[in-house]
């Protein structure tokens, strides 16, 4: 655990998509003029005839992809998370309503577009997509998990929203052997006193926090819910019973995101005290994503604090 | 010498289309007895175009890539689509009287679980994007299906329409035919005072589309335009002049979508 080096989510996504283009002849990649920034361009280089830049037109992007899916193709829409939300209504009224096989690979989520500031940072996309009927929502922890997840996501029939960051990506699942399955969570570390549940790059801070807590005599389980929807309810319930307390952590608004999704499971199956670490307002510009995570208190010290509060 | 089949439509065929459209028109008005919230005005604007497409041009096939798709982007005209599909036998006529009922099939706006409906619509401005996707998907598969899209003039307000017809791909497709109905009204009033559309045809033409015009209530005119579109082998948009509420005097050519069941009854007795 916690070996390997930091890498880039968008790089991994772009390369893997280009690789998978060979296996899936019907796979099409579509974007709204952010092919280079998202690395969808790697697919364009290999399969120009199966790549569409529709221009800076996200609403059209989503419905054009929906039409291609209706005609039996396998479209993957690649765009910044924030600007896909501009077409949320198209995702709802065309894709979700007709349950079409369109995949959404959203890069630059959370604070990962650190320099561009709040207009480009997406802290609402998990809430907005998980509320859509028929949609699955996936937040890979790191490039290794992303590569595991992609074939499974493409094999799934129906809309999937996959959220990735830009370049900051700590090695969270390096060295772990497991098969990625939609709806399956992974335990990254076991402990008896508190469960820390999250997804994406913040799991790195969860693991650092667990190490801190160990030194303080508190055992923490760290759970990776990379499939935010459908949520692995059985596993969450098991650890709620086992540890009796839950802290959730996310690079997203604490309203409607992963914390909310976990609490929906908990109140239904086995209520335990919870704390929520995440964003509560818009972001701002900074020199790095790491700076922003620390600035907004989405880091290991906040997780330790929340865990100690709930352990009491 | 003129070939015998040179006339796009025979008198016999014309009369048949007229009969179908007249029955569909009356059935839309009759639906007012069962639900007073349907969009009658917008529906009556679309009857002849829908009848022409469904009864004369739409080809059916086993494969969804070889048949013709019909997308009612102005989804609020759903009653017209249902009435025409009922004439075709795709929808049971008895279902028409259960429109918008919890135990009926027919929804207020089209849904793909309704027989004969190719796209779930109801939110304006999305039908053309989807239609272009289908048309491109068909072409990429080397198949023969075509896509018909029907939009309203008010619908042209949506930015997504601009996003879709300006895409380069759109200009390369010859299997898409778009109707834009110009009935001059949108929900809150007349188009001219809200967002004038006089420039539309020029804009579409300059964007690379083959643009044609027709009288959207005259079958010979609609057919002539479609025939010309087919010859053009280019993405075509037909601007169809129509009247909102056409043929139903209490609301004809007005912003009103509906009238009372009493008005409808009186009208149908006299019609």
């Amino acid at each position: 655990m916690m070996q390997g080096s930091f890498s880039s989510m968008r790089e991994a996504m772009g390369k893997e998509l280009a690789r998978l283009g060979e296996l899936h002849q019907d796979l099409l990649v579509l974007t709204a003029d952010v092919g280079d920034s998202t690395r969808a361009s790697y697919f364009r280089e290999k399969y120009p005839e199966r790549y569409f830049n529709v221009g800076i037109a996200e609403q059209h992007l989503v419905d054009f992809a929906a039409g291609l899916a209706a005609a039996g193709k396998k479209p993957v829409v690649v765009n910044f998370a924030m600007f896909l939300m501009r077409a949320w209504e198209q995702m709802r009224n065309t894709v979700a309503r007709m349950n079409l096989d369109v995949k959404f690979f959203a890069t630059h989520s959370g604070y990962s577009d650190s320099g561009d500031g709040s207009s480009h940072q997406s802290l609402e996309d998990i809430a907005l997509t998980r509320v859509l009927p028929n949609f699955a929502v996936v937040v890979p922890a790191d490039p290794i998990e992303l590569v595991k997840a992609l074939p499974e996501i493409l094999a799934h029939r129906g809309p999937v929203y996959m959220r990735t960051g830009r370049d900051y990506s700590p090695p969270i699942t390096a060295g772990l052997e497991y098969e990625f399955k939609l709806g399956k969570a992974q335990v990254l570390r076991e402990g008896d006193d508190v469960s820390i549940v999250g997804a994406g790059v913040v799991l790195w801070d969860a693991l650092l926090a667990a190490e801190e807590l160990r030194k303080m005599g508190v055992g923490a389980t760290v759970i990776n819910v990379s499939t935010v929807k459908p949520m692995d309810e059985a596993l969450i319930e098991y650890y709620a019973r086992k540890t009796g307390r839950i802290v959730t952590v996310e690079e997203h608004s604490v309203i409607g995101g992963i914390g909310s999704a976990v609490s929906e499971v908990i109140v239904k199956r086995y209520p335990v005290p919870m704390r929520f670490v995440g964003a509560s307002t818009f972001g701002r510009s900074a020199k790095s994503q790491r700076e922003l995570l620390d600035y907004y208190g989405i880091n290991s010290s906040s997780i330790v604090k929340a865990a100690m509060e709930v352990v009491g | 010498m003129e070939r015998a089949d040179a006339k796009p439509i025979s008198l016999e065929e014309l009369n048949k289309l007229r009969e179908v459209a007249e029955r569909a028109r009356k059935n839309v008005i009759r639906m007012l007895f069962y639900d007073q919230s349907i969009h009658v005005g917008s529906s009556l604007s679309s009857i002849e175009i829908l009848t022409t497409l469904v009864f004369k041009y739409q080809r059916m096939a086993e494969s969804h890539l070889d048949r013709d798709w019909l997308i009612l982007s102005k989804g609020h005209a759903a009653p017209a689509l249902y009435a025409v599909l009922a004439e075709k036998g795709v929808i049971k006529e008895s279902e028409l009287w259960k429109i918008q009922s919890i135990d009926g099939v027919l929804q207020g706006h089209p849904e793909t679980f309704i027989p004969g409906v190719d796209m779930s619509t109801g939110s304006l401005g999305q039908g053309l994007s989807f239609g272009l996707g289908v048309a491109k998907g068909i072409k990429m598969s080397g198949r023969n299906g075509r896509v018909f899209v029907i939009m309203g003039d008010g619908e042209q307000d949506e930015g997504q329409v601009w996003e879709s017809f300006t895409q380069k791909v759109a200009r390369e497709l010859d299997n898409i035919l778009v109707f834009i109905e110009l009935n001059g009204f949108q929900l809150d009033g007349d188009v001219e005072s809200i967002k004038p559309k006089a420039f539309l045809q020029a804009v579409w033409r300059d964007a690379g589309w083959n643009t044609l015009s027709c009288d959207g209530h005259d079958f010979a005119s609609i057919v002539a335009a479609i025939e010309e579109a087919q010859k053009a082998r280019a993405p075509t948009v037909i601007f169809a002049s129509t009247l909102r509420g056409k043929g139903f005097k209490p609301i004809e050519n007005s912003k009103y979508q509906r009238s009372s069941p009493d008005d409808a009854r009186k009208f149908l007795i006299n019609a």
Side-chain angles (χ1 to χ4, degrees):
Chain A
M1 188 116 23
M2 300 180 78
Q3 50 192 282
S5 55
F6 283 60
S7 51
S8 163
M9 282 290 222
R10 60 173 170 172
E11 280 291 327
M13 192 275 297
K15 280 183 191 150
E16 190 60 8
L17 206 45
R19 194 184 71 79
L20 289 167
E22 219 160 315
L23 302 174
H24 297 266
Q25 288 303 309
D26 281 335
L27 186 69
L28 311 176
V29 170
L30 298 89
T31 185
D33 213 38
V34 286
D36 291 327
S37 315
T38 57
R39 306 296 190 256
S41 52
Y42 298 161
F43 191 92
R44 178 184 66 207
E45 284 155 20
K46 272 178 87 175
Y47 307 103
E49 74 290 350
R50 289 199 267 146
Y51 177 91
F52 298 92
N53 176 4
V54 305
I56 309 161
E58 293 79 11
Q59 303 175 62
H60 173 60
L61 172 72
V62 170
D63 275 330
F64 183 64
L68 287 164
K73 298 291 176 189
K74 215 168 186 42
V76 177
V77 171
V78 182
N79 219 63
F80 285 24
M82 188 65 251
F83 301 116
L84 265 180
M85 294 307 109
R86 183 169 182 144
W88 179 85
E89 197 246 359
Q90 282 72 11
M91 293 165 81
R92 179 198 184 272
N93 266 332
T94 308
V95 178
R97 213 155 130 243
M98 294 167 72
N99 195 15
L100 291 167
D101 196 12
V102 182
K103 311 304 180 207
F104 298 89
F105 290 179
T107 62
H108 296 66
S109 72
Y111 298 110
S112 67
D113 195 351
S114 50
D116 279 318
S118 65
S119 63
H120 285 54
Q121 293 160 0
S122 154
L123 301 168
E124 305 84 4
D125 54 322
I126 294 174
L128 285 166
T129 50
R130 84 182 182 91
V131 78
L132 296 175
N134 298 321
F135 261 69
V137 179
V138 178
V139 184
D142 58 15
I144 301 164
E145 186 171 45
L146 182 142
V147 168
K148 280 195 177 93
L150 240 52
E152 171 83 357
I153 289 171
L154 292 179
H156 174 78
R157 278 198 75 83
V160 178
Y161 179 79
M162 184 182 77
R163 174 197 223 232
T164 75
R166 192 170 177 264
D167 291 324
Y168 165 79
S169 188
I172 292 158
T173 67
L176 289 183
E177 291 289 326
Y178 65 92
E179 203 183 338
F180 180 92
K181 285 271 169 218
L182 276 174
K184 280 282 169 211
Q186 279 81 43
V187 177
L188 300 179
R189 179 186 171 119
E190 289 266 5
D192 293 336
D193 303 314
V194 61
S195 296
I196 306 167
V197 185
V201 297
V202 294
L203 285 167
W204 176 254
D205 289 78
L207 290 168
L208 293 174
E211 194 50 34
E212 272 309 300
L213 288 164
R214 186 189 62 80
K215 290 178 195 158
M216 297 158 79
V218 174
T221 289
V222 176
I223 298 167
N224 170 19
V225 284
S226 43
T227 308
V228 178
K229 185 189 170 196
M231 176 74 75
D232 192 343
E233 298 200 5
L235 186 131
I236 297 292
E237 180 188 343
Y238 176 85
Y239 282 94
R241 287 178 186 276
K242 185 182 172 192
T243 63
R245 302 141 186 124
I246 293 176
V247 173
T248 60
V249 54
E250 59 197 300
E251 191 187 4
H252 182 276
S253 165
V254 287
I255 297 173
I258 293 169
S260 299
V262 171
S263 63
E264 285 161 17
V265 175
I266 289 301
V267 294
K268 191 169 64 183
R269 297 179 72 134
Y270 191 77
V272 297
M274 285 185 69
R275 290 293 181 276
F276 306 89
V277 176
S280 54
T281 186
F282 295 111
R284 51 168 295 131
S285 284
K287 300 299 176 200
S288 74
Q289 184 177 357
R290 187 66 251 178
E291 264 185 1
L292 285 164
L293 287 168
D294 288 329
Y295 184 86
Y296 289 106
I298 304 171
N299 58 12
S300 59
S301 58
S302 300
I303 298 168
V304 168
K305 192 165 162 269
M308 290 314 285
E309 249 177 60
V310 80
V311 167
Chain B
M1 197 181 82
E2 197 178 58
R3 277 180 19 233
D5 62 357
K7 262 206 169 87
I9 189 161
S10 66
L11 195 59
E12 191 188 9
E13 200 179 1
L14 198 62
N15 284 334
K16 191 197 159 205
L17 291 179
R18 274 190 192 130
E19 282 167 26
V20 168
E22 238 4 81
R23 281 197 303 270
R25 167 164 281 110
K26 283 181 184 158
N27 280 344
V28 167
I29 298 168
R30 205 165 276 134
M31 280 184 228
L32 260 180
F33 301 160
Y34 305 93
D35 194 295
Q36 274 94 66
S37 69
I38 59 169
H39 298 257
V40 179
S42 298
S43 294
L44 297 183
S45 174
S46 306
I47 294 273
E48 283 80 9
I49 292 168
L50 281 167
T51 301
T52 309
L53 289 174
V54 170
F55 277 81
K56 185 170 167 62
Y57 289 100
Q58 195 178 17
R59 300 165 308 171
M60 286 304 162
E62 284 278 307
S63 160
H64 64 300
L65 298 178
D66 292 323
R67 68 177 178 83
D68 295 337
W69 295 55
L70 178 59
I71 294 166
L72 187 63
S73 192
K74 48 171 280 192
H76 51 289
L81 176 62
Y82 303 154
V84 170
L85 289 173
E87 290 300 315
K88 190 81 178 173
V90 177
I91 288 172
K92 274 194 245 163
E93 194 180 279
S94 59
E95 279 297 332
L96 296 181
W97 320 131
K98 289 193 285 180
I99 187 163
Q100 296 189 172
S101 300
I102 193 81
D103 60 344
V105 174
L106 305 182
Q107 305 298 297
H109 290 84
E111 298 273 6
T112 44
F113 58 73
I114 300 167
V117 172
D118 286 330
M119 179 190 178
S120 296
T121 54
S123 179
L124 295 174
Q126 303 185 8
L128 182 57
S129 295
F130 182 85
L132 288 169
V134 173
K136 181 64 187 174
I138 288 168
K139 282 283 172 192
M140 289 182 87
S141 304
R143 306 293 276 274
N144 297 316
R146 300 177 299 190
V147 181
F148 306 133
V149 181
I150 300 174
M151 293 195 282
D153 47 4
E155 185 174 8
Q156 305 303 307
D157 291 358
E158 292 283 5
Q160 187 178 350
V161 177
W162 171 269
E163 290 185 4
S164 56
F165 80 80
T166 53
Q167 191 188 348
K168 184 168 174 290
V169 166
R171 280 173 260 164
E172 298 159 356
L173 295 169
D174 61 1
N175 59 344
I176 186 146
L177 177 62
V178 180
F179 275 91
I180 297 178
E181 289 176 18
L182 305 170
N183 66 31
F185 290 96
Q186 46 196 104
L187 203 54
D188 262 4
D190 63 293
V191 165
E192 269 314 300
S193 67
I194 298 165
K195 273 198 172 175
K197 302 294 183 309
F199 55 85
L200 260 187
Q201 200 156 339
V203 172
W204 279 70
R205 189 176 50 240
D206 287 352
W209 285 68
N210 177 37
T211 59
L212 301 168
S213 299
C214 76
D215 175 337
H217 296 305
D218 176 343
F219 287 108
S221 176
I222 298 169
V223 167
I226 296 175
E227 295 291 323
E228 203 179 327
Q230 289 187 329
K231 272 185 244 155
R233 296 183 181 280
T236 297
V237 54
I238 299 173
F239 287 84
S241 303
T242 61
L243 289 179
R244 187 127 93 150
K246 164 74 177 175
F248 184 35
K249 295 297 173 217
I251 59 167
E252 190 178 270
N253 200 23
S254 79
K255 73 170 213 169
Y256 300 106
Q257 281 288 16
R258 49 193 74 95
S259 188
S260 70
D262 259 2
D263 278 348
R265 199 165 287 116
K266 275 182 218 148
F267 176 83
L268 289 170
I269 289 167
N270 297 323

